[in-house]
């Protein structure tokens, strides 16, 4: 674990950096949930889809095993450089993070099947159904997949996002509910955090 003071300083810097970027960092409630879940499963290998400026990555790293590695994917080099600096400010060694620049749907197929404890998605909501399919391949049995900003998953949820975003989030939530190998949960934090534990059936 890193000192709370260093992490708080880094998160404050992330919030400042995000003011000039096309991203919004996760709030404290969502971040605390990420940290808790990463700690609860003893996560050693996590995939993050959507690096942003590093806020969610800091929360995840704080909960992960001290030797765990965060693999984070984003298309924006400016955001990734801000994230790299945020991780350093928070006190995490560079070997704890692997930043991959590229679109998630091009990068995820290159990652190893069944090698990850957690997949966290906070990127293009229209691609959430594709991220779910990728996560089911990447996660080990007992691994957790999480989707940020999932308040639109409820049939009567607020349509604060575009119709395409809301439809994709609802499709993802429906797929999670209908998959008998998954144990789903909607956490009412931030903009909604859709979570699911992957069961023991092997996936091809």
């Amino acid at each position: 674990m890193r000192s709370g003071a260093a992490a708080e300083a880094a998160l404050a810097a992330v919030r400042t950096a995000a003011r000039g970027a096309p991203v919004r960092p996760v709030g404290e409630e969502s971040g605390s949930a990420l940290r808790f879940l990463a700690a609860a499963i003893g996560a050693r290998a996590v995939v993050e889809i959507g690096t942003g400026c590093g806020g969610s990555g800091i929360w995840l790293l704080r909960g992960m095993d001290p030797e765990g590695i965060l693999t984070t994917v984003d298309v924006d080099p400016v955001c990734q450089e801000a994230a790299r600096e945020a991780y350093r400010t928070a006190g995490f060694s560079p070997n704890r993070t692997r930043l991959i620049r590229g679109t998630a749907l091009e990068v995820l197929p290159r990652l190893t099947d069944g090698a990850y404890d957690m997949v966290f998605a906070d990127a293009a909501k229209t691609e959430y159904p594709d991220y779910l399919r990728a996560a089911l391949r990447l996660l080990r049995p007992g691994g957790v997949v999480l989707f940020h900003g999932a308040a639109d998953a409820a049939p009567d949820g607020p349509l604060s996002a575009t119709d395409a975003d809301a439809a994709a989030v609802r499709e993802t939530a429906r797929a999670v509910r209908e998959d008998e190998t998954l144990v789903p949960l909607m956490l009412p934090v931030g903009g909604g955090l859709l979570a699911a534990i992957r069961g023991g059936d092997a996936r091809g």
Side-chain angles (χ1 to χ4, degrees):
M1 296 289 183
R2 292 298 182 265
S3 76
E8 288 303 321
L11 290 170
V14 165
R15 289 190 291 270
T16 299
R19 290 173 189 158
V23 295
R24 293 180 61 186
V26 300
E28 184 173 354
E29 286 186 345
S30 297
S32 295
L34 294 177
R35 180 186 182 188
F36 176 88
L37 291 168
I41 64 171
R44 294 181 57 87
V46 175
V47 175
E48 178 185 46
I49 305 168
T51 307
C53 292
S56 52
I58 291 172
W59 286 107
L60 288 164
L61 286 162
R62 291 176 73 189
M64 291 169 63
D65 182 277
E67 303 301 319
I69 297 175
L70 173 69
T71 298
T72 181
V73 182
D74 205 295
V75 296
D76 191 325
V78 175
C79 284
Q80 283 206 323
E81 284 307 309
R84 196 186 307 275
E85 177 62 19
Y87 304 148
R88 186 197 65 77
T89 300
F92 295 105
S93 169
N95 65 8
R96 294 286 315 280
T97 57
R98 179 171 61 149
L99 287 84
I100 302 177
R101 190 173 304 162
T103 63
L105 296 183
E106 292 178 352
V107 173
L108 296 176
R110 305 203 300 265
L111 302 182
T112 304
D113 293 8
Y116 296 91
D117 304 301
M118 179 179 286
V119 176
F120 170 61
D122 186 13
K125 290 185 175 63
T126 53
E127 295 180 354
Y128 274 16
D130 296 308
Y131 299 160
L132 174 61
R133 286 186 283 271
L136 295 180
R137 178 181 61 80
L138 295 172
L139 286 172
R140 63 163 175 82
V144 176
V145 60
L146 299 144
F147 295 90
H148 186 248
D152 287 321
D156 57 351
L159 290 177
S160 55
T162 66
D163 289 344
D165 284 348
V169 171
R170 290 174 182 174
E171 177 185 343
T172 304
R174 183 170 57 252
V176 167
R177 289 194 303 269
E178 293 176 355
D179 190 326
E180 294 183 356
T181 71
L182 296 176
V183 180
L185 175 67
M186 176 65 76
L187 295 170
V189 296
L193 193 62
L194 174 63
I197 300 173
R198 184 184 182 279
D201 284 352
R203 292 264 175 170

